[in-house]
Amino acid sequence: MPKTPYYLTTPIYYVNDAPHIGHAYTSLACDVLARFKRLDGFDVKFLTGTDEHGQKVEKSAQAKGIDAQAFTDEVSQKFRDLADHMNFSHDDFIRTTEERHKLSCTDLWKRIVDRGDIYLDSYGGWYAIRDEAFYGEGELIDGPDGKKVAPSGAEVEWVEEPSYFFKLSEWGDRLLEFYEKNPDFIAPKSRLNEVVSFVKGGLHDLSVSRTTFNWGIPVPDDDEHIMYVWLDALTNYITALGFPETETGEFATYWPADLHMVGKDILRFHTVYWPAFLMAAGIEPPKRVFAHGWWTNEGEKISKSLGNVIDPIDLVETYGLDQVRYFLLREVPFGNDGDFSRHAMVNRMNGELANDLGNLAQRVLSMVAKNCAAAVPVHGEFTDDDKAMLDQASVLVNGLRKSMDEQAFHEGLETVWKAIRAANGYVDAQAPWTLKKEDPPRMATVLYVLSETIRQIAIVLQPFMPDSMANMLDQLAVSPEHRDFSFLGQGHQLTPGTILPAPQGVFPRFVEADADD
Ligand code: MSP
């Protein structure tokens, strides 16, 4: 049977500045989901990349005194380096300055023109370069120094120039109908109202070209204009599938996308503008957009001016890669805002990774090494307690599947931790160290049940902590070809007598002295 396709995307990141924790977070969530789906037998395409046009990037290049293309080459590379550091498994990395993207944007634009949804006029209104967004007078709020600012706090400037417009005002009803027919399109559910009330409030036509700078993709047949950077950026999701070729190949296989993962600040662009542009071009909108929350640092908003930007690479160097991957997805219900603190990081790392999971594996594997001839133990008949433990482990993936399809990563991890805690309870109740003297065959059975439970747990945790779980599975002599979810069920349990390598700790404790340096 052919595999079911699953296409997911990160936002493409502005290259005006180096990557920070927010960027790492969005991509991490996608990476975990992509890995999960691959292990679960899907044909996954996972896309990330960089958003390189627009006034914000052009200004940053000018401030550095370098040519915009050279500047974007340099910063885009930093995002690739981050992806390598974080062990992200994307299948493609798109840059909007690539030729394939120009072709795709040009084609999409022409399709919208052909259907009559773009017209030439002139724009007079407010623009925030930081958000690359237009704002109506009524949307502006009072800034700290009495000046009007965008609702995001970004400075606005008055812009007056000839512009092409997209007839967004005519799409309100069709968008509302689309949300109604596709109740899973906007997630989490709490975000739906926000979007619906924005649309119900009345949509204005959207300016989709600029003439006062030229770092962008020229409008077809009118190169006085460049395309609005959000129209350009959103189109990346179809460029990467070979658009404008739609009849064969990747577009036919993977579109509409299963999931666009975004931060809450860019929800409107993905759930109002993007589906409207697509429908206007005769293309189906994506299936789902999930908006996650924002991180603060020790209770403070993260900002360059406060000097508290968190560099994800520093975090990884301090705490370890899989520890950071685990923490970011465990600490906060996905969708809510979260706070990064060293205290919380160290607590989770020591409590849940070193103690709960690390100790479980180490206790069991070292007893096996010492008392079972360093091989998978030979078990006897299973008791009800043994069966209950094995059953709990073997159904883990079902609970996880549901959580992952809802992007409830914290909930998925909690499901696994319930099984880990149950396994620790089982070790204490069965006390294999006492059985060692009193009933060695029973000890072997208990250690078998535990080893098999650890195998199941390590397999389902691979998407979250790929390196550490690979290490744990190596220690159980599970071959790399036997690690996907089809090996969780009956008939794939550990084979008694299989020789095991020497055990080693997987999750070191973080020593507090290091934390106070
Ligand atoms: N270039 C646009 C996206 C275009 S997609 C067609 C953009 N880029 S961005 O680099 O500014 O932001 C990318 C992502 O990082 C957004 O999803 C944003 O929400 C996320 N984050 C930026 N700061 C963040 C935090 N402090 N916390 C969590 N995520 C945050 O927007």
Side-chain angles (χ1 to χ4, degrees):
M1 250 211 349
K3 291 180 169 187
T4 308
Y6 187 87
Y7 178 39
L8 84 167
T9 65
T10 73
I12 47 170
Y13 302 111
Y14 285 130
V15 289
N16 59 308
D17 212 341
H20 62 64
I21 192 173
H23 308 116
Y25 185 52
T26 320
S27 291
L28 169 65
C30 290
D31 181 61
V32 170
L33 205 46
R35 287 172 182 273
F36 188 92
K37 289 285 178 187
R38 285 188 201 111
L39 290 167
D40 209 13
F42 286 78
D43 166 17
V44 172
K45 184 166 171 88
F46 167 19
L47 174 70
T48 188
T50 42
D51 186 355
E52 307 192 357
H53 288 132
Q55 220 170 345
K56 168 149 109 170
V57 171
E58 189 184 63
K59 280 202 156 187
S60 302
Q62 281 164 354
K64 285 215 155 187
I66 36 181
D67 154 72
Q69 187 63 57
F71 176 72
T72 59
D73 288 347
E74 187 185 313
V75 187
S76 177
Q77 187 56 43
K78 293 188 183 160
F79 282 89
R80 278 184 197 258
D81 295 345
L82 172 73
D84 290 345
H85 255 89
M86 301 280 303
N87 214 349
F88 295 154
S89 62
H90 50 273
D91 301 291
D92 192 358
F93 188 105
I94 189 166
R95 300 184 53 188
T96 53
T97 48
E98 290 171 293
E99 188 59 24
R100 60 172 172 165
H101 185 61
K102 187 173 166 189
L103 290 177
S104 163
C105 287
T106 307
D107 200 275
L108 185 74
W109 179 284
K110 284 185 179 158
R111 288 185 197 215
I112 304 176
V113 170
D114 287 349
R115 287 163 186 254
D117 271 329
I118 285 180
Y119 63 94
L120 182 61
D121 200 342
S122 66
Y123 180 78
W126 298 102
Y127 193 77
I129 297 179
R130 198 182 84 192
D131 302 346
E132 296 283 19
F134 301 95
Y135 290 103
E137 183 82 43
E139 283 181 284
L140 302 183
I141 57 169
D142 291 325
D145 52 4
K147 264 206 218 152
K148 293 276 182 200
V149 295
S152 60
E155 260 179 48
V156 288
E157 61 178 35
W158 184 259
V159 170
E160 220 169 290
E161 60 192 40
S163 174
Y164 284 94
F165 280 81
F166 172 72
K167 288 185 189 164
L168 186 63
S169 60
E170 294 183 3
W171 284 91
D173 289 343
R174 279 171 286 185
L175 284 167
L176 292 170
E177 193 189 333
F178 177 74
Y179 307 146
E180 187 136 349
K181 286 202 178 133
N182 298 278
D184 294 328
F185 175 61
I186 298 174
K189 283 264 179 291
S190 52
R191 298 267 169 215
L192 176 64
N193 286 345
E194 179 184 324
V195 175
V196 167
S197 61
F198 173 71
V199 175
K200 282 193 173 157
L203 296 174
H204 301 287
D205 287 354
L206 181 71
S207 162
V208 285
S209 75
R210 303 289 311 269
T211 47
T212 42
F213 64 98
N214 59 18
W215 183 234
I217 296 177
V219 164
D221 307 320
D222 190 352
D223 56 17
E224 293 288 298
H225 292 251
I226 54 160
M227 293 182 199
Y228 172 39
V229 67
W230 269 101
L231 173 55
D232 161 344
L234 288 159
T235 306
N236 93 87
Y237 301 132
I238 56 174
T239 303
L241 299 180
F243 183 84
E245 175 52 66
T246 56
E247 298 304 314
T248 55
E250 292 211 310
F251 189 90
T253 305
Y254 294 109
W255 194 261
D258 293 273
L259 179 68
H260 291 322
M261 182 73 82
V262 301
K264 62 181 183 180
D265 53 317
I266 55 175
L267 185 62
R268 186 184 294 182
F269 299 96
H270 284 81
T271 56
V272 180
Y273 301 167
W274 183 224
F277 293 152
L278 287 169
M279 289 194 272
I283 300 170
E284 240 188 293
K287 292 185 198 155
R288 183 171 169 90
V289 178
F290 189 104
H292 67 65
W294 271 44
W295 285 90
T296 50
N297 184 359
E298 307 282 353
E300 299 231 42
K301 187 173 183 256
I302 296 177
S303 85
K304 249 171 103 175
S305 48
L306 289 175
N308 65 351
V309 175
I310 302 177
D311 177 347
I313 293 177
D314 287 349
L315 279 191
V316 167
E317 271 163 18
T318 309
Y319 302 105
L321 172 58
D322 282 351
Q323 285 81 350
V324 170
R325 289 177 60 111
Y326 173 79
F327 174 82
L328 291 176
L329 293 179
R330 178 66 190 88
E331 180 67 4
V332 184
F334 199 67
N336 294 4
D337 290 339
D339 183 43
F340 180 86
S341 74
R342 289 169 79 107
H343 180 72
M345 174 78 225
V346 173
N347 266 352
R348 295 230 179 246
M349 185 175 164
N350 287 349
E352 290 159 21
L353 295 180
N355 282 356
D356 295 347
L357 177 55
N359 267 354
L360 171 70
Q362 204 162 3
R363 281 208 278 182
V364 171
L365 292 171
S366 38
M367 277 204 82
V368 169
K370 283 196 203 114
N371 306 298
C372 305
V376 173
V378 178
H379 61 82
E381 191 103 346
F382 293 129
T383 65
D384 287 348
D385 285 348
D386 300 346
K387 285 185 197 147
M389 188 68 249
L390 289 169
D391 285 350
Q392 181 167 3
S394 69
V395 297
L396 267 181
V397 73
N398 303 338
L400 260 174
R401 245 180 222 127
K402 182 174 171 290
S403 302
M404 300 301 268
D405 281 337
E406 293 168 0
Q407 290 79 49
F409 300 99
H410 60 293
E411 188 188 281
L413 286 169
E414 183 49 33
T415 307
V416 184
W417 251 256
K418 269 196 195 125
I420 295 173
R421 287 193 287 263
N424 279 313
Y426 172 90
V427 181
D428 294 340
Q430 302 291 333
W433 45 89
T434 316
L435 295 170
K436 184 173 146 184
K437 287 184 213 110
E438 294 168 3
D439 187 354
R442 176 66 198 147
M443 174 201 70
T445 303
V446 167
L447 290 177
Y448 179 87
V449 169
L450 285 162
S451 306
E452 174 56 22
T453 301
I454 294 169
R455 183 186 75 96
Q456 303 263 358
I457 290 170
I459 287 183
V460 298
L461 284 179
Q462 291 176 97
F464 294 89
M465 301 183 282
D467 292 344
S468 321
M469 293 306 103
N471 182 344
M472 215 172 258
L473 291 165
D474 287 345
Q475 295 189 47
L476 287 166
V478 176
S479 79
E481 307 80 66
H482 292 172
R483 294 181 182 182
D484 68 56
F485 297 164
S486 68
F487 292 94
L488 288 168
Q490 286 295 324
H492 302 292
Q493 290 93 341
L494 291 169
T495 309
T498 310
I499 298 297
L500 300 178
Q504 45 171 264
V506 174
F507 294 114
R509 281 184 72 77
F510 190 82
V511 185
E512 286 301 336
D514 300 353
D516 300 325
D517 53 31

